[in-house]
Amino acid sequence: MKFVLDAEQRLFTDTLHALLTGADTARAVRAWAAGDTKPGRALWSALADAGVFALAVPEAHGGAGPLPVELVCAAEQLGRHAVPGPFVETLAAAELLGRLGDDPLAATWLPRIAAGEALVSLTLPPAVPYALDGDVADLVLTADAETVREATAHGGTASLDPSRRLLPVVPGEPLVTGAAAASAAAYDLGALLCAAQQLGLGRALLDVSVEYARTRQQFGHPIGEYQAVKHHLADVLVELEYARPLLFGAALAYRTPEFSRDVSAAKAAASAASYLAARVALQVHGAIGYTDEYDPSLWIRKVRALYSAWGSPASHRARVVDAL
């Protein structure tokens, strides 16, 4: 099967890439990690103006969606530029709330999400136990097979990515009951968008590693001339290109019985591909690859943090096996 984006989807992707390329996202990542969310919030507003959050919100609540293929395009670019903040969680929360119909909770928050005015963190225990950036989110939700509740985030758990703050939550009173289908749908969309983010991170690390191999000299030659380096980089490209059709195939299966299975296949493949990209980036760059001052270190640490976010590769492989 061949997946080709149409002209509007390519233009949307290119526009986001250009926007984020000029936005100095590395500075926003470092500021977010230090507790200054102002540059990240500015990025959030720019993405809202580009229509990113409206893609996950139904038209009845001021959005343009849900549009899963466009959401995957957006999440890949946000991953490629390591944009900080709970954007996957916010988009998954939009999926959750959108499934609640005319519930007051949805009517209150979906228009704000579409406009980029609300950062939402979401826990779906046991697979998603912590509220990402719950301390700065405008709304923290926790949902399971029975209920949707507003929650309070407190404390904190260290993440491998300093720009990701993981907070335990205290659930409040139930706001919605009988939420099994909505919770499951939110988990699947979140896992899909996390996989897209991983693919973007892997692509960014491959690009920077190739460029470094072209310019870094050893024994009088660019290190990219040596087959050992070429083969590692080629392996990364193959893994990323293997994961891409699984990702878009899953997006096309949105709201079909195969969606959960296809999302898990994509998430497992994207986790493996991005992890390989990070490992090879470290091998190509040497020690400079993990220094705080070098921007690719931000991407490498985010890859490791996302490896098990929204379900580990083992759990997603198990879901694929169970579905066969």
Side-chain angles (χ1 to χ4, degrees), residues 136-256:
V136 298
D138 301 294
L139 172 68
V140 179
L141 293 174
T142 183
D144 55 31
E146 300 298 328
T147 61
V148 177
R149 304 166 188 252
E150 191 168 346
T152 304
H154 66 94
T157 299
S159 170
L160 293 167
D161 174 6
S163 70
R164 290 171 55 87
R165 289 186 296 278
L166 302 174
L167 282 74
V169 299
V170 177
E173 293 299 316
L175 299 175
V176 179
T177 57
S183 298
Y187 176 71
D188 285 338
L189 186 68
L192 176 67
L193 299 182
C194 184
Q197 190 182 11
Q198 290 173 294
L199 194 70
L201 284 161
R203 184 73 224 191
L205 286 169
L206 176 61
D207 289 346
V208 75
S209 298
V210 168
E211 184 59 32
Y212 186 80
R214 284 177 176 151
T215 55
R216 174 77 165 88
Q217 300 254 335
Q218 209 163 50
F219 306 114
H221 296 275
I223 61 173
E225 289 187 3
Y226 298 106
Q227 283 196 344
V229 176
K230 287 181 181 177
H231 287 178
H232 281 308
L233 294 171
D235 288 343
V236 173
L237 179 61
V238 169
E239 289 291 317
L240 291 171
E241 290 304 308
Y242 170 73
R244 180 177 296 281
L246 293 175
L247 191 68
F248 283 96
L252 291 174
Y254 179 70
R255 291 193 173 173
T256 73

Side-chain angles (χ1 to χ4, degrees), residues 41-83:
R41 287 274 191 172
L43 269 179
W44 197 278
S45 296
L47 292 168
D49 291 342
V52 168
F53 300 104
L55 295 172
V57 175
E59 291 183 17
H61 292 285
L67 297 174
V69 174
E70 285 77 3
L71 281 169
V72 165
C73 293
E76 183 181 358
Q77 291 307 312
L78 268 61
R80 185 174 183 178
H81 293 275
V83 175

